[in-house]
Amino acid sequence: MDFMERMAPEYRERIQERIRVQHETGRAAPIMEQEYLRLDGSRLPVETTAVPIRYQDQDAHMVFVRDITEHQQAQAAIANTQKLESLGILAGGIAHDFNNILTAILGNLSLLQSEIKASGNALELFQEAQTACATAKGLSHQLLTFAKGGHPIVKVMDLRPLLKQTASFSTRGSNARCVLELGDSLLAVNIDKEQIAQVIQNLMINAVQAMPEGGTITLRARLVALGANERSPLAAGRYVQVTVQDQGTGIPPLHITKIFDPYFSTKSAGRGLGLAMCYSVMAKHGGHICAESRPGAGATFILHFPAADAAAVAPEPGLPALTPGHGRILIMDDEPSVSKALARMLAHLGYQAESVEDGQAALDAYRRAMATGKPYAAVIMDLTIPGGMGGKDTMRKLSALDPQARAIVSSGYSNDPIMSEYASHGFSGVLTKPYSMEEVSAALHRVIGPEK
């Protein structure tokens, strides 16, 4: 075959120039990345170098060609990770402040609804406001997944119920039909339920939008065993594989390598965060996401979750009802609107609340309460206090002061995985911002019980 015809057309002129220079200098050509054409016309990324030689008494070149497909995929994965990390500082800071604002709004809404016993139009207004807060919370949660500290709070569970619920919610009201192929066997994974629900929801919504005239979305899940190097960058082992397949127009080859890049979007109104968020979440779960597509033949997104022990799957507990309580609760939070909203919710539940702004003030208040014989039943403390002692250091000193102290860590963002590993840092519970009165009630009920 003609060697030059195997090169992509845009490289041929450069190669011929390099050959001419080599003939004149007699030196080997430096390594060059280019693309070769396979016999079927598809392109193969390669790395080449050429050495001038004499062959059968003629000037010739011995060319070394290396397939760099896997190398480019690995470099792309690293580049994606670095982009996400660079956005983490900004996204995390925004999410932290945003969640503080949402905590005050959502807390006061749930308290106001309980106080005035709304009905009719008033109740509808409350529900719309709460729904808007939930939407804002979802956006904030997406921002958090870019942050270095946005570690998943994981639990071993069967993935199938989450897939069913999310698929049904995401396609409701659309003209797309969802076909579930989830099998009859339990699919155990160790995941953050909220984060993975967002991943599936984003993929389902993208599939719906890819089929404006309607069509079928097929959601499959099964247990697979991967060999070494079978699915880069995953190690060999057992995985739960999930695929989301649509019947849309497909993803152009020009775009498929960019779809997981932050802020890349082909939609005029798109933010370009959805698939980047999916990529980040899957990476933080020790898994992976990739896409396959042919123009005109739809797109398939493939997710792999490390499989967990099925015996570790516990039944989902029901949400507890609003539970009244008694006792003194110390609030440590530097945001006055959060402290005020939380104090009102605690008073409505029957507790006595006192607020301080940082860790040193919390320790002083706790010490005074012990000395007067009126100890706090629990402390709810913010993890991050700008310019002051935060929850981590405060908890360490509080445990030394009172080994029986019961504290709940609360945060909308953290650079540390304390929210997912709170018990190992001495905390008795966790309360993620923004939270409602029902969530506050449930957290206190779990930590101090009804007897307090």
Side-chain angles (χ1 to χ4, degrees), residues 41-80:
S42 62
R43 294 187 172 221
L44 174 71
V46 296
E47 187 178 81
T48 64
T49 187
V51 180
I53 63 171
R54 293 288 294 176
Y55 179 70
Q56 295 181 351
D57 293 326
Q58 295 185 33
D59 288 334
H61 285 81
M62 181 162 58
V63 182
F64 298 87
V65 182
R66 184 168 71 95
D67 181 351
I68 58 172
T69 303
E70 289 189 6
H71 172 72
Q72 286 190 347
Q73 290 173 345
Q75 290 298 314
I78 292 171
N80 265 333

Side-chain angles (χ1 to χ4, degrees), residues 98 102-139 169 322 345 434-439:
F98 192 39
L102 282 177
T103 299
I105 295 173
L106 189 59
N108 282 320
L109 278 174
S110 60
L111 183 61
L112 186 58
Q113 183 177 354
S114 176
E115 287 283 352
I116 67 175
K117 295 181 173 55
S119 61
N121 290 336
L123 179 60
E124 186 176 346
L125 292 173
F126 273 117
Q127 291 173 338
E128 286 185 5
Q130 288 172 329
T131 300
C133 284
T135 302
K137 179 180 178 180
L139 176 59
F169 174 79
L322 203 63
M345 287 189 282
Y435 44 73
S436 64
M437 186 159 57
E438 288 77 11
E439 290 168 320

